[in-house]
Amino acid sequence: NAGVTQTPKFQVLKTGQSMTLQCAQDMNHEYMSWYRQDPGMGLRLIHYSVGAGITDQGEVPNGYNVSRSTTEDFPLRLLSAAPSQTSVYFCASSYSQNSPLHFGNGTRLTVT
Amino acid sequence: GEDVEQSLFLSVREGDSSVINCTYTDSSSTYLYWYKQEPGAGLQLLTYIFSNMDMKQDQRLTVLLNKKDKHLSLRIADTQTGDSAIYFCAESPQTGANNLFFGTGTRLTVIP
């Protein structure tokens, strides 16, 4: 059982470049979310989705877009990368709104 | 918004008990979680407690919740070197779709 799979594991971008961080889960979870982890700040919610076709903003959504065309996939797009987006990004999913979150292993992104 | 606070560092000797503390501000929290993060890995759910409970025990782990003081603790009995990691406290507010608010994490170092 793969759980929550994130790709790539590492990425380096130049300022202004765009890219998509991939997240897929094979547990038929309805709820998916993206967090970023920065030193001394814990994890902060970027965007989340309660089901296919439904997305909403979290605490720090600026500079990021998401879509949820299928239950399994929840990609995170950076349209024009900035150095402030250097971080470790975690995707998470849960069966329902009151179930524990399961996390992927993260994508470490550096923007120069 | 919600605020979840933890001390940053804790060192214990192997075989001793570890107690990691967390305070939160949202009195309407439904679930409170403890996650463990090992280097280069994602977050692993350790245990969680529903807000109407005051204690939960799971093998070497004991969670205590003082709802009046908004204080959560995680006790690890017979701490082992494999317990060295960062431990995150997180709370799930009553509103919102499983959008967790995380503390900054406590880095536990176990000294052999």
Side-chain angles (χ1 to χ4, degrees), chain B residues 17-35:
Chain B
S17 292
S18 309
V19 179
I20 303 171
N21 294 302
C22 170
T23 58
Y24 60 97
T25 56
D26 187 352
S27 57
S28 63
S29 295
T30 52
Y31 288 93
L32 294 123
Y33 299 88
W34 284 105
Y35 283 87

Side-chain angles (χ1 to χ4, degrees), chain A residues 1-106:
Chain A
N1 192 344
V4 180
T5 303
Q6 291 184 239
T7 56
K9 285 187 169 52
F10 302 95
Q11 182 71 50
V12 178
L13 290 178
K14 293 188 187 304
T15 297
Q17 286 185 314
S18 62
M19 80 158 295
T20 300
L21 280 65
Q22 301 292 344
C23 175
Q25 52 87 12
D26 61 358
M27 298 174 282
N28 202 30
H29 283 175
E30 287 296 319
Y31 180 86
M32 296 185 74
S33 54
W34 278 100
Y35 287 85
R36 59 178 288 173
Q37 182 180 25
D38 300 295
M41 300 188 75
L43 280 78
R44 292 179 293 167
L45 181 66
I46 304 172
H47 285 284
Y48 66 95
S49 168
V50 299
I54 306 168
T55 63
D56 208 342
Q57 295 180 349
E59 185 184 353
V60 288
N62 292 341
Y64 308 95
N65 282 345
V66 291
S67 60
R68 184 93 182 270
S69 55
T70 67
T71 299
E72 294 77 21
D73 300 298
F74 191 43
L76 179 72
R77 296 186 187 85
L78 285 72
L79 296 179
S80 178
S84 61
Q85 294 178 304
T86 294
S87 187
V88 181
Y89 291 84
F90 288 100
C91 179
S93 72
S94 65
Y95 178 73
S96 69
Q97 293 184 23
N98 289 319
S99 304
L101 282 175
H102 297 261
F103 282 82
N105 284 332

Side-chain angles (χ1 to χ4, degrees), chain B residues 25-92:
Chain B
T25 56
D26 187 352
S27 57
S28 63
S29 295
T30 52
Y31 288 93
L32 294 123
Y33 299 88
W34 284 105
Y35 283 87
K36 176 183 180 183
Q37 185 181 34
E38 297 186 51
L43 276 71
Q44 171 197 351
L45 177 68
L46 280 181
T47 186
Y48 63 98
I49 189 167
F50 190 54
S51 59
N52 68 355
M53 299 168 63
D54 52 20
M55 183 178 121
K56 181 178 180 181
Q57 188 152 2
D58 183 2
Q59 299 182 333
R60 291 191 297 123
L61 304 179
T62 303
V63 179
L64 295 177
L65 174 61
N66 181 329
K67 204 171 176 188
K68 175 176 167 289
D69 294 338
K70 300 193 191 77
H71 181 267
L72 181 73
S73 67
L74 174 69
R75 178 176 179 270
I76 305 173
D78 187 25
T79 313
Q80 303 297 307
T81 54
D83 295 324
S84 291
I86 301 176
Y87 290 81
F88 289 93
C89 166
E91 57 126 359
S92 174

